[in-house]
Every structure is written in C-alpha cells, then in structure tokens.
Amino acid sequence: MQKLLIVGKTSFLASRFLSHCEDNSSISAVRRFDDIKSILEPDSVVINFGIHPSYITEPYSEKNDVDLTIAKEISKSNIHQIMISTRQVYSQKNAIGITEDFMLDPVTQYGKNKLTTELKLQEILGDNLSILRLSNIFGFELNRMTFCGVALTSLKKTGKIYLDINPGINKDFLPVDCFAEILYRFIQTLQPGVFNLCSGCPTSVGSFANCLIEGYGKGSVEVVLDRIFDSFTMDNSKIMGLIDFSFNNKEILKCALKYGAMLKNA
C-alpha cells in the first residue's frame, strides 16, 4: 500500500479504520495536520478525519476548513488527498438511488460547508483528489450526535428510542467496519473523482431501532413527531465497480442487533 497519512486519528471513523488495517507499517496517524507536515512524502495519500467544531454548524470559513489547509499545503507535491464528505451535499428531493451526478442542493450548514470544501479542493488538486460522500455510517457510538449514537444513548438512559420521523422512513445505513473495509480496498485501487461510500440498501429507521432494542433486550420506540422527512438511499455502483465487496440489508440489521447487545455492558 502507498504511504498513508491519517489526520484526526482519534475520531470515530479514523480509529475504526486504523484498527481494521491489516498492515499499519505504511500508515502514519496524527491528531492534527501540523503534526504531519514534517513527514509528508511524494506519492503518498492523505486522509483527514478531523473537523473543527464550528465547521459543523456555522457559515463557511476557511480558517475552520482542515481539508482546505491540507490541500494548500500539498498542492505543489505529488500527494493524493482523499476527502471525507457527506450525502448532505445532495438535494433532499426525490433522494432515492442517489448517484454521484445527482442534484447538489444542501440544506444543512454542514452539507453547505462540505460542498464548498469539495469545490475548493477540486480547483486546487485536480486529479490528485478523491471525494467520498458518506451515507449514515454507524457503530457502537454512545454520546455521538448521529442517528445510531443518539438512539443508543437514549435507550441506555431512558429505555426508549425517540423518533421525530415516521418509522417507515428509509435511510442508507452502513456499518463502520464495512466502511473501513471499503475505504481500505479503495485506497488499493485509488482513483480520482467523486464516489458514494454507502450500503445502497434502504433500511427503515423503525426496523433499525427495533433491532437495537432487541439486541439490548428491553426498551421501546416512541414516535414523538410522525414526519415524512429525509428519506434517502444512495447508489454505490461506481465505487463497487473498483473493489470486490458485497453487502445486503440483513447485515445492516445484524450489526444493529450486535451494537444493541453491546449496550448491556456499557
């Protein structure tokens, strides 16, 4: 594998990716980009998992954009950057089977900021850039502000999972270990461009929540707001055309059961 430089090594996704890698001898991982400047090498690959807290909720500012800082630093070197982006850059209208050329119309501030970063990096790096647009990556993630993290935390504290959308709403969930494996294989066949990194499988939030509860052994779902809102699935055929990997809906629910069971000892 090419020399791989990881920024933000303590983040949820980075830590899972690093533990998943079979060969760590070619990987250098640091908390902040400043720590990696002295070991940047030509023909290497850099991935940033770190994020400034203000980048998530506040209007875009270059000073909060870690990926842009990296891109500017490596722009005159033969270093390839993999940007971790989000499905939130896409429009929420008719968001079924989203391909990489689907309408870009972010609603959340995070999605708007990620799209701004994508455009800036494309201008700076050209073919030395791969953008991975992630779906809902989930794992055992207590206290994280993700769908699964909030559900697990609420289930542990209150015995309930609260839904503010209709339980039949489908989302594109992908277990974090599958994310790590897909990313690892993608790096082996590194290609420039934009790729959806997702399961491609529609999973209802109700069935997902019920599997967490079944794994935990107790609890219930309470629908506090029965909205038809933010249903989406993504098309992963572009990235799967590069790697040998298969996945199905049963595996998603099996992982939800597993993480629910892990909650017993948390």
Side-chain angles (χ1 to χ4, degrees):
M1 185 167 68
Q2 291 174 273
K3 179 69 174 179
L4 183 60
L5 310 174
I6 300 293
V7 179
K9 68 176 183 178
T10 58
S11 73
F12 174 67
L13 294 181
S15 60
R16 293 306 306 157
F17 174 70
L18 289 168
S19 66
H20 185 82
C21 291
E22 299 173 354
D23 177 16
N24 285 321
S25 61
S26 59
I27 300 176
S28 297
V30 297
R31 289 176 59 92
R32 296 174 296 272
F33 179 64
D34 286 345
D35 300 329
I36 212 169
K37 287 182 179 180
S38 61
I39 56 174
L40 286 172
E41 298 178 7
D43 301 316
S44 58
V45 178
V46 59
I47 310 176
N48 170 52
F49 290 94
I51 191 167
H52 192 288
S54 298
Y55 184 93
I56 300 173
T57 57
E58 296 181 8
Y60 180 82
S61 172
E62 288 194 354
K63 69 178 182 180
N64 297 331
D65 192 338
V66 181
D67 282 290
L68 181 63
T69 300
I70 294 171
K72 288 180 176 179
E73 182 72 24
I74 68 174
S75 61
K76 296 181 181 179
S77 306
N78 188 29
I79 297 175
H80 194 97
Q81 183 169 348
I82 296 178
M83 177 191 170
I84 302 297
S85 189
T86 172
R87 64 95 184 176
Q88 294 181 42
V89 301
Y90 293 118
S91 171
Q92 291 185 357
K93 298 177 181 178
N94 302 314
I96 306 301
I98 298 171
T99 59
E100 288 80 359
D101 58 0
F102 192 73
M103 181 187 301
L104 299 175
D105 186 19
V107 174
T108 66
Q109 190 60 58
Y110 179 63
K112 293 176 182 179
N113 289 347
K114 280 293 187 180
L115 181 55
T116 298
T117 301
E118 286 189 15
L119 297 174
K120 288 178 178 290
L121 265 59
Q122 287 171 333
E123 183 177 352
I124 294 171
L125 297 175
D127 285 343
N128 278 330
L129 173 68
S130 300
I131 297 171
L132 303 180
R133 293 174 178 161
L134 274 52
S135 64
N136 282 28
I137 312 300
F138 73 95
F140 188 69
E141 43 184 319
L142 280 173
N143 301 314
R144 291 189 75 233
M145 294 306 295
T146 61
F147 181 88
C148 186
V150 170
L152 286 170
T153 304
S154 176
L155 182 58
K156 183 69 175 179
K157 290 182 177 180
T158 71
K160 291 186 177 182
I161 294 177
Y162 297 95
L163 296 180
D164 62 356
I165 53 177
N166 184 282
I169 289 293
N170 286 321
K171 293 187 181 292
D172 192 311
F173 292 102
L174 180 68
V176 66
D177 289 335
C178 292
F179 157 80
E181 178 62 20
I182 293 170
L183 178 57
Y184 182 82
R185 296 190 190 192
F186 177 76
I187 294 168
Q188 315 307 309
T189 60
L190 192 62
Q191 296 289 325
V194 178
F195 301 86
N196 289 336
L197 204 168
C198 57
S199 70
C201 302
T203 302
S204 74
V205 294
S207 62
F208 186 93
N210 282 322
C211 281
L212 292 176
I213 291 168
E214 183 180 344
Y216 186 47
K218 57 184 177 180
S220 62
V221 173
E222 182 171 329
V223 180
V224 295
L225 192 57
D226 193 3
R227 298 183 296 166
I228 304 299
F229 175 74
D230 199 24
S231 181
F232 78 96
T233 56
M234 300 170 71
D235 185 295
N236 62 10
S237 57
K238 186 176 179 182
I239 196 168
M240 292 305 176
L242 299 175
I243 63 175
D244 180 22
F245 192 83
S246 60
F247 197 78
N248 59 57
N249 181 265
K250 290 182 179 180
E251 293 176 82
I252 296 171
L253 297 179
K254 184 177 179 180
C255 286
L257 279 167
K258 179 179 73 172
Y259 296 131
M262 289 172 63
L263 195 60
K264 296 175 183 178
N265 298 318

